[in-house]
Amino acid sequence: FSFRKLWAFTGPGFLMSIAYLDPGNIESDLQSGAVAGFKLLWVLLLATVIGLLLQRLAARLGVVTGLHLAEVCNRQYHKFPRIILWLMVELAIIGSDMQEVIGSAIAINLLSVGKIPLWGGVLITIADTFVFLFLDKYGLRKLEAFFGFLITIMALTFGYEYITVKPNQEKVLQGLFIPYCKDCGTPQLEQAVGIVGAVIMPHNMYLHSALVKSRQVDRSNKRQVREANKYFFIESCIALFVSFIINIFVVTVFAEAFFNKTNADVNQVCANSSSPHSSLFPNNNETLEVDIYKGGVVLGCYFGPAALYIWAIGILAAGQSSTMTGTYSGQFVMEGFLNLRWSRFARVLLTRSIAVTPTLFVAIFQDVEHLTGMNDFLNVLMSLQLPFALIPVLTFTSLPSVMHDFANGLFWKVAGGLLILLICCINMYFVVAYVRDLHNLGLYIGAAVLSVIYLSFVAYLTWLCLIALGASFLACGN
């Protein structure tokens, strides 16, 4: 083992780990803390470990083949399924981009004490395009250092909230290592499902398999390939451990301070602290519901204005960093699936325009509650796209014709298949629960029709995956 070699391979894992810290994840964290207290910390730990194992498969694919996941999909799948797969992954990237725009706009609104309206914050996020292009000119290593700086800001800001609130350490350890959920009902179960859906992001598999190509590896030398796989895995472990700690900060802060609080409790405290936002919380005994915006407000009411502004800085860092990794994902996916090499400027401008337009309309014509409410819909959208990343990555890392001596063994085939099945079942439950709450017959019928088409395509990918895993009797001819 060499720390110098580890440093040479350090970078891609930290860029990948940004997806575990985007505004959608932060909102899922604070809601799980407010709704279930410390009881779901073990779910967050389990989801992060599962995410690490799946990222390992994606990284190995890039290291061994010299191709990222989108490029392998382009070579292995037929034209029609390939185009559908590309569209699904693009949907996931646009959905993630919208969450980052929402998070950044809310952070800017909080930092400006409401002087910059939400639509203004949405417009300001367009500047991300120019920031990204400016940094990209100076090389990938400089960009990786900038991402490290943003992760450090998140660690410091959310760590400050953790120190300020002082969560009960015994409850934190119990929540992490004892898989229980005493007196939990449907809201807590939905939060647990939401954690898994927010942590494991579909486009992140495509991103990680491409980022590892930035390091020079002699693929004709098995020892070098094995060494690269080892160091990339160690780096991913460190990066996801850091992101896990930051997520823990957010969950435990809201578990300690706001679990079992009512709207009336918060209304009174905000009124006593002369907060201009006390009207956000009606004076009733309903359980407090928080999102990124309300989360910052209640922190300010309970722990002073500094807590609110530091929270907003952390959210802004999360939004700015994750929007850049989303842009990278979009570029790799478009190049890989379509062999279409647009300039980064054109690619960023297109996806950012698609993400900004609907968000801008909501920000102009609705209030902040509707803007944060979009997160639920976007989480459902990305949950639906998960099979279109997880199934291909297991398929291709199990094929000896693609991975040669580095193809998955029996353990990884069985474990990977079970993990993907578990994640897809969990996320389908999340989607069904969301659709059920819509209470609209027309939407039910539309969802039923789309479900048939969706499940048919997932079944097709699963059929090819099972053949790759060794069920050769399913193959029809060659």
Side-chain angles (χ1 to χ4, degrees), residues 90-106:
E90 286 289 354
L91 269 178
I93 293 170
I94 290 166
S96 175
D97 209 26
M98 287 178 69
Q99 284 189 319
E100 290 138 17
V101 170
I102 291 169
S104 297
I106 290 171

